[in-house]
Amino acid sequence: MKERQVHFYSDGLRLAGTVYEPEPPASGPRPVVIVCSGYLGLNAIYPRLFAQPLTAAGFAVFGFDYRGTGESEGVFGRILIEEEVRDVRNAVSFIRTQPGIDPSRIALLGWGMGAGIVIEAAAFDERVAAVAALNGFYNGRRFLLSRHGPAGFRRLMELLEQDRVQRVQTGRGRFADPYEVYPLDPDTRQEVRLRLEPVPRYGPPTAVELADSLLAFDAEALVDRIAPRPLFVGHGTGNVLHPPDEARALLSRAREPKTAYWIEGKHNDFMQADHPQFIALSGAVIRWLNGCWPPSRRLAVGQ
């Protein structure tokens, strides 16, 4: 695939991204998938990973670093869901201006925390033609209770109230270990140490204010707005970080057309280009994407 480094602006901040394009060049406009990272995610990790099979199937792919992460501008480590939703919507505006892109065939693919983010973005942006949500959580309060437990959740709320006071009195909140607000399960933590932490600029101290953002986050309440556009929900059957009930709850609120895909894996243990489960997931997403367009506008494999 061919990689073209680009930038665009979101709320005045310069965000770094990459347009991944199939080779050889297309004879006409191509559909594009904007691949959106999860918590702490960077364009160099999962967007680039998904770009390999997607471009091989003929799709253009756009990946970028959210504000405050990677190579993008913003307060490093200040991660708020509502701001990342705006980054995604501004990415849609940007990619529509790029050569060789069909603006009527723009799909969003979100991973982890990004899965709920793309649902919220698409709920209010009809320029998005299709949405794929993978291994996500869809209600922030439920997620925090699940990860912290009742006693831990109370301690987090006490910490958050202290941070709220600090923010209004000093103009800057507290930054902490990135897993203080967003604790990982042991298996996911091991994969992060092995495969993600070596990536430059991964995992800075993050704003405790993220907890406020998570408490307000409820993509599940918005998912019905995606219809009649197609929705693909993929989830690991052994996912402890974001339990499978997250996908089931989302699907119960979604309207048709919707597709459920169960992955024989956990959260990120299969996220490697040569892993059989990643290959199977990519193939399922590609087949689903091709089914989102009229037959005359579908891509042949390898086109």
Side-chain angles (χ1 to χ4, degrees), residues 40-54:
L40 302 178
L42 303 175
N43 172 35
I45 303 176
Y46 292 157
R48 192 174 195 282
L49 177 63
F50 276 107
Q52 297 174 44
L54 286 168

Side-chain angles (χ1 to χ4, degrees), residues 2-281:
K2 178 182 177 182
E3 300 183 23
R4 180 162 53 90
Q5 304 306 313
V6 297
H7 70 270
F8 66 102
Y9 291 88
S10 185
D11 294 343
L13 298 170
R14 190 180 193 269
L15 306 191
T18 306
V19 178
Y20 302 92
E21 299 170 307
E23 291 186 307
S27 57
R30 289 188 181 274
V32 61
V33 183
I34 303 176
V35 180
C36 302
S37 299
Y39 179 58
L40 302 178
L42 303 175
N43 172 35
I45 303 176
Y46 292 157
R48 192 174 195 282
L49 177 63
F50 276 107
Q52 297 174 44
L54 286 168
T55 56
F59 293 89
V61 173
F62 183 39
F64 66 95
D65 291 333
Y66 299 113
R67 69 183 75 190
T69 71
E71 302 300 323
S72 290
E73 291 182 346
V75 178
F76 196 46
R78 185 173 183 267
I79 296 171
L80 302 180
I81 292 178
E82 58 271 25
E83 293 184 344
E84 294 191 347
V85 169
R86 291 204 297 274
D87 292 345
V88 172
R89 295 188 65 182
N90 287 320
V92 172
S93 297
F94 171 77
I95 202 64
R96 286 168 58 88
T97 71
Q98 295 301 288
I101 297 301
D102 182 349
S104 69
R105 291 187 289 171
I106 297 175
L108 298 181
L109 184 155
W111 171 267
M113 193 169 84
I117 285 171
V118 298
I119 287 173
E120 184 168 330
F124 298 102
D125 197 331
E126 294 187 357
R127 299 172 301 173
V128 175
V131 180
L134 306 179
N135 257 349
F137 66 90
Y138 305 103
N139 178 282
R141 184 181 185 88
R142 185 173 63 216
F143 165 74
L144 289 174
L145 280 165
S146 170
R147 292 307 309 146
H148 288 270
F153 182 80
R154 287 193 295 272
R155 288 192 295 270
L156 179 64
M157 293 303 99
E158 293 169 0
L159 175 66
L160 177 58
E161 185 57 29
Q162 295 169 12
D163 184 69
R164 289 166 175 162
V165 172
Q166 181 175 324
R167 276 185 268 141
V168 299
Q169 290 182 339
T170 70
R172 182 178 173 85
R174 176 172 171 258
F175 283 65
D177 181 275
Y179 308 115
E180 183 167 354
V181 172
Y182 199 118
L184 303 182
D185 64 281
D187 288 343
T188 301
R189 187 74 184 96
Q190 181 178 349
E191 289 291 325
V192 166
R193 287 195 187 100
L194 178 65
R195 304 185 189 281
L196 305 189
E197 288 184 352
V199 177
R201 297 180 69 81
Y202 179 85
T206 57
V208 173
E209 188 179 358
L210 170 63
D212 253 338
S213 183
L214 286 165
L215 288 172
F217 178 59
D218 191 3
E220 187 178 301
L222 299 170
V223 69
D224 64 317
R225 298 175 64 110
I226 302 298
R229 294 166 292 170
L231 173 67
F232 180 101
V233 179
H235 212 94
T237 57
N239 194 335
V240 174
L241 182 64
H242 305 152
D245 279 350
E246 288 290 330
R248 295 187 184 100
L250 184 76
L251 287 161
S252 73
R253 299 280 292 271
R255 292 189 287 148
E256 297 290 351
K258 56 186 176 182
T259 298
Y261 180 86
W262 295 103
I263 306 160
E264 293 181 13
K266 300 176 185 177
H267 183 66
N268 55 1
D269 56 313
F270 56 89
M271 291 297 287
Q272 304 147 49
D274 59 351
H275 195 289
Q277 289 303 319
F278 178 75
I279 294 169
L281 171 63

